[in-house]
Amino acid sequence: MNLCEAEKTFILHGVEENFRVDGRERSQYRPMELETNVVAHAFGSSRLRLANTDVLVAVKIETDVPSVDQPDEGKIEFFVDCSANATPDFEGRGGEELATEIANSLTSAYRSTKAFNLSKLCILKGRKCWKLYVDILLLECGGNLYDAVSLAVKAALWNTDIPRVLAVNLDGNNVEMEVSDNIHECVKLDIVPAPVMVTISKIGEQCVVDPSAAEEQCATASMVVAVSQDRFTTVLQSGSGSLHPSTLRESLKLGLEIGSKLDQALIEVLKQKPAKKQIGFLM
Amino acid sequence: MSRKELLSKIGLRQDGRRAEELRRIRCKLGVFTQPDGSAYLEQGLTKVLAAVYGPHQVRGGRSKAQHDAAIINCQFSMAVFSTGERKKRPRGDRKSTEISIHLHQALLAAVKVELYPWSQIDVYVEVLHADGGVFPACVNAATLALIDAGIPLKEYVCACTASLANNNVAMVDISNQEETLGGPVLTVVALPMSAKIVHMEMSQRFHLDHLPKVLNLALQGCKDIKAILDDVVRQHVKDIGSSTGWSQTNRKQ
């Protein structure tokens, strides 16, 4: 999508007046839809639709050997796949750059032990651990990918059931483990402190959250902050453009405030009992 | 008998279907807003999303462009979590490339490409859940997406699989479970209204005498699928049309 100068000016003026093109205020999000447990093959999954940004996340679990540096911790790996369904630019290897960028930001946001405790994923110190594969599929890009992805990842991890290990036997060099046969007997992870990302875009003189695809084009610079319980786990500046230190401080403050609100709202939704009927893409 | 049978003595399959019964098909047109056409199709547990962009100018140099027809560009991709075991890569492996080529072949037979010289039509399919019959589901979803994009087709292009159970009885719409149990699988892409076969592929072997039986059942499957898709398309157009008030146009005058 390419905007002409007049369209850009229109958006810019709207932001200045605190009345954006879709009728939102500067600190307002677009409507979101969240559904969990949508992928039958996965241990946990979610689908988030933020206006017309569509993200599907599935968590798969495998056993692995802990790394030498952290023998008592499990592993988590993020993989982003930009589907060509989203835009023809992603065809072939076209989406890999964006995919790596998002995956790396998630990895750094989840690295802190305060945000996501990996020690619960360890089965036997130095010998066996669980490895979580968090696979993110971008189905449609309508702006603000980071926020949508982070919310969907948090929801999918919330939904994840880790098999309960009943016993671990050490037989020479072999580690054998006994996993509970009962599929309802599972361990849940503590996901409450997991980070939520907020993108703040500077359009003209003002900062806005949740930019749409058109607004992203008008932004002079944008920041992504990952907020975990009133603390930042990652701050990164995405795209081109530069920010004045005072604007940076201002946008960080805005990000923290919005991030905590968003996090609270998400947890409230996740605590609700999920609907029995699956909706998926047929709605 | 310890080995599981494809078809039990009373004529029921592993999942309780009869030999000539399709899995439940549910689909929806227009799931996304950005592509020119999109569709979602569920065939049993197999779930596929398709998106169509175009017709538009040929991307990446005009050398590929044809003066008398549009080119169709297909990409098949499978989500890494779509199979029981996690896949390493979503696309680019041999199987995906092969399916892309077959999909291209199937769609080329149905799309009226001669109407759009110097242009390109992109068809992207994404498998969210693979449970047997992935390629047929992709063809069916792509047809729906093309219809949603308003691209002129000669007719519906539908695909279906069929197999032979107990070396005697033909079965339609093979699930993953039946694929892994063994037995030949015949995949047919057809234009069901004119009963033409566009693409046919078979794995494993059975006696040539059985082929007409299996092929006929697969063609019947294509016809049944066409009826289901047609219903969905008509309902979709009705919903869209009535929301814009087309039924009122005569009365107003």
Side-chain angles (χ1 to χ4, degrees):
Chain A
M1 181 171 40
N2 278 314
L3 297 181
C4 70
E5 282 309 309
E7 283 173 302
K8 283 187 182 173
T9 319
F10 185 70
I11 290 173
L12 199 104
H13 284 194
V15 169
E16 213 61 50
E17 298 281 328
N18 203 7
F19 190 78
R20 290 150 76 176
V21 275
D22 42 11
R24 285 182 290 156
E25 287 176 18
R26 282 194 288 264
S27 58
Q28 223 174 353
Y29 266 78
R30 290 170 290 174
M32 279 182 234
E33 285 165 26
L34 177 72
E35 192 181 352
T36 51
N37 216 357
V38 282
V39 181
H41 274 320
F43 288 76
S45 59
S46 72
R47 180 197 176 208
L48 184 97
R49 199 169 164 81
L50 169 67
N52 54 358
T53 300
D54 212 312
V55 183
L56 187 66
V57 178
V59 182
K60 285 215 175 215
I61 304 175
E62 281 173 23
T63 54
D64 201 359
V65 181
S67 65
V68 187
D69 307 331
Q70 277 95 26
D72 53 356
E73 283 187 359
K75 289 176 180 174
I76 186 163
E77 192 182 293
F78 296 95
F79 176 81
V80 181
D81 179 20
C82 298
S83 165
N85 282 26
T87 128
D89 299 337
F90 290 160
E91 198 189 323
R93 306 172 75 94
E96 268 179 25
E97 210 171 296
L98 178 70
T100 325
E101 211 176 303
I102 297 176
N104 285 349
S105 71
L106 279 170
T107 312
S108 62
Y110 275 80
R111 193 168 288 153
S112 156
T113 43
K114 290 247 165 53
F116 188 71
N117 197 352
L118 284 168
S119 56
K120 242 191 147 176
L121 294 174
C122 184
I123 302 166
L124 189 68
K125 192 179 169 182
R127 302 299 286 271
K128 223 175 184 90
C129 68
W130 295 115
K131 183 171 185 178
L132 300 186
Y133 287 98
V134 183
D135 297 312
I136 299 139
L137 184 63
L138 295 180
L139 292 169
E140 198 174 10
C141 300
N144 204 10
L145 285 176
Y146 284 92
D147 301 26
V149 167
S150 75
L151 288 172
V153 166
K154 187 162 178 171
L157 285 171
W158 183 287
N159 183 236
T160 301
D161 291 318
I162 292 176
R164 188 182 287 280
V165 178
L166 297 176
V168 183
N169 302 318
L170 204 57
D171 176 19
N173 263 336
N174 290 339
V175 183
E176 281 170 15
M177 58 176 197
E178 215 177 294
V179 177
S180 171
D181 291 333
N182 188 353
I183 50 163
H184 297 294
E185 198 184 343
C186 292
V187 186
K188 284 271 183 195
L189 290 166
D190 179 25
I191 301 300
V192 176
V196 163
M197 291 202 242
V198 179
T199 311
I200 301 132
S201 285
K202 191 171 180 250
I203 300 174
E205 293 303 309
Q206 304 289 342
C207 293
V208 300
V209 296
D210 188 22
S212 64
E215 283 169 330
E216 272 179 356
Q217 280 201 14
C218 306
T220 44
S222 51
M223 296 263 307
V224 181
V225 292
V227 181
S228 155
Q229 296 196 318
D230 301 334
R231 281 190 175 80
F232 291 121
T233 59
T234 309
V235 178
L236 66 103
Q237 205 175 331
S238 66
S240 57
S242 51
L243 285 169
H244 197 268
S246 64
T247 324
L248 190 77
R249 273 195 292 277
E250 201 183 303
S251 55
L252 285 179
K253 213 178 117 192
L254 180 71
L256 186 65
E257 187 193 329
I258 300 287
S260 336
K261 267 191 208 158
L262 195 61
D263 195 29
Q264 268 173 15
L266 177 69
I267 287 174
E268 221 164 90
V269 169
L270 287 172
K271 274 183 181 161
Q272 286 172 11
K273 261 217 154 141
K276 283 248 170 69
K277 208 175 150 223
Q278 273 205 7
I279 301 164
F281 291 89
L282 285 167
M283 188 176 56
Chain B
M1 208 155 105
S2 63
R3 197 171 158 271
K4 279 186 179 172
E5 280 188 322
L6 282 170
L7 200 65
S8 71
K9 284 197 185 76
I10 51 167
L12 290 178
R13 289 152 74 171
Q14 289 290 319
D15 48 9
R17 283 185 289 160
R18 301 240 167 234
E20 67 284 357
E21 201 176 333
L22 290 170
R23 290 177 288 173
R24 179 172 70 164
I25 296 179
R26 295 195 294 178
C27 40
K28 189 179 187 292
L29 277 78
V31 276
F32 295 127
T33 51
Q34 268 167 10
D36 296 305
S38 59
Y40 169 76
L41 184 123
E42 253 181 53
Q43 192 160 353
L45 285 174
T46 302
K47 293 171 184 164
V48 179
L49 274 171
V52 171
Y53 288 86
H56 56 73
Q57 206 175 352
V58 175
R59 251 181 296 106
R62 283 174 69 100
S63 56
K64 273 193 292 175
Q66 292 172 353
H67 69 92
D68 56 350
I71 50 171
I72 300 178
N73 172 35
C74 295
Q75 185 183 272
F76 169 87
S77 160
M78 261 173 119
V80 284
F81 50 77
S82 61
T83 47
E85 193 136 315
R86 185 178 176 274
K87 274 170 71 86
K88 283 274 178 297
R89 282 195 298 171
R91 64 188 80 89
D93 53 330
R94 275 164 191 245
K95 199 186 152 212
S96 307
T97 318
E98 189 197 351
I99 293 184
S100 297
I101 293 167
H102 289 163
L103 187 63
H104 175 255
Q105 187 186 346
L107 298 181
L108 208 56
V111 178
K112 283 181 166 285
V113 280
E114 65 277 11
L115 296 176
Y116 302 103
W118 301 110
S119 39
Q120 177 178 0
I121 298 165
D122 292 319
V123 181
Y124 301 119
V125 286
E126 181 79 47
V127 177
L128 301 181
H129 195 136
D131 187 60
V134 168
F135 174 62
C138 287
V139 174
N140 299 334
T143 308
L144 286 178
L146 283 168
I147 291 169
D148 187 40
I151 290 169
L153 302 178
K154 288 179 190 126
E155 58 177 286
Y156 285 84
V157 52
C158 297
C160 192
T161 53
S163 176
L164 194 70
N166 309 342
N167 221 353
N168 183 27
V169 191
M171 297 192 304
V172 77
D173 197 9
I174 310 307
S175 70
N176 185 42
Q177 195 186 17
E178 286 161 342
E179 264 174 35
T180 44
L181 272 177
V185 178
L186 178 76
T187 308
V188 174
V189 183
L191 302 172
M193 288 155 98
S194 53
K196 280 184 201 154
I197 296 169
V198 176
H199 173 82
M200 200 165 100
E201 193 189 358
M202 203 188 84
S203 64
Q204 296 191 35
R205 63 169 196 172
F206 54 74
H207 197 274
L208 196 60
D209 290 353
H210 293 303
L211 183 64
K213 186 165 61 186
V214 179
L215 183 60
N216 278 338
L217 194 63
L219 281 174
Q220 186 55 47
C222 291
K223 280 187 187 137
D224 294 346
I225 290 170
K226 187 237 143 200
I228 295 168
L229 300 190
D230 196 43
D231 270 354
V232 173
V233 171
R234 282 173 198 278
Q235 188 59 44
H236 177 73
V237 176
K238 209 167 133 192
D239 289 350
I240 298 267
S242 56
S243 66
T244 57
W246 68 357
S247 56
Q248 311 288 314
T249 44
N250 290 333
R251 249 175 266 168
K252 267 184 200 162
Q253 286 166 353

